[in-house]
Amino acid sequence: MKVAGLGFRHDATLASLREALHAAGGSTGLAAVATLRDKADAPVLRLLADELGLPIRGFTAERLDGIKTATQSELVSARFGTGSIAEAAAIAAAGRGARLIASRCVSRDRMATAAIAEGDGE
């Protein structure tokens, strides 16, 4: 199961999310998109998920905090209680044995990040 994890600012645009996802490898073969539970209902994420025909998986910061990721952000850690959103959400949603196949990529406007993980889906 291949999943894209997404992190984004409140005023990110659909173009920002698309660009970050494209930089991480694109949407081909994705089974879902994942993010923080608090961001899972954001209209911009819903637009992207609807466009791609994918479900959204939301996780608490506490659930993401213990996941080992390739990158960590002090800013994200201070604000959300986890050092990674995109990478950790992708790994959490991909299931057992998940591994990153694309580390965090950032949109040019710095409003969105994306990472892709693959796992067994359980």
Side-chain angles (χ1 to χ4, degrees):
M1 173 179 203
K2 195 165 123 179
V3 178
L6 297 163
F8 52 94
R9 294 182 185 206
H10 174 73
D11 49 353
T13 65
L14 181 56
S16 300
L17 290 177
R18 284 182 187 139
E19 184 180 306
L21 182 57
H22 178 74
S27 62
T28 302
L30 291 179
V33 293
T35 194
L36 281 174
R37 183 174 290 158
D38 294 348
K39 293 180 175 258
D41 288 329
V44 69
L45 183 60
R46 287 186 171 275
L47 284 171
L48 180 69
D50 288 347
E51 181 178 284
L52 300 175
L54 297 173
I56 299 169
R57 303 270 322 269
F59 297 93
T60 64
E62 294 80 20
R63 168 69 172 91
L64 299 183
D65 189 37
I67 296 174
K68 184 178 178 183
T69 57
T71 66
Q72 292 282 309
S73 166
E74 289 182 24
L75 179 67
V76 169
S77 183
R79 179 143 188 228
F80 297 104
T82 180
S84 172
I85 293 174
E87 291 177 349
I91 291 168
R96 233 181 14 233
R99 64 181 176 81
L100 281 177
I101 57 175
S103 296
R104 178 180 64 179
C105 294
V106 183
S107 61
R108 283 178 282 166
D109 65 4
R110 317 279 306 155
M111 301 298 274
T113 62
I116 298 177
E118 195 166 46
D120 68 9
E122 294 180 20

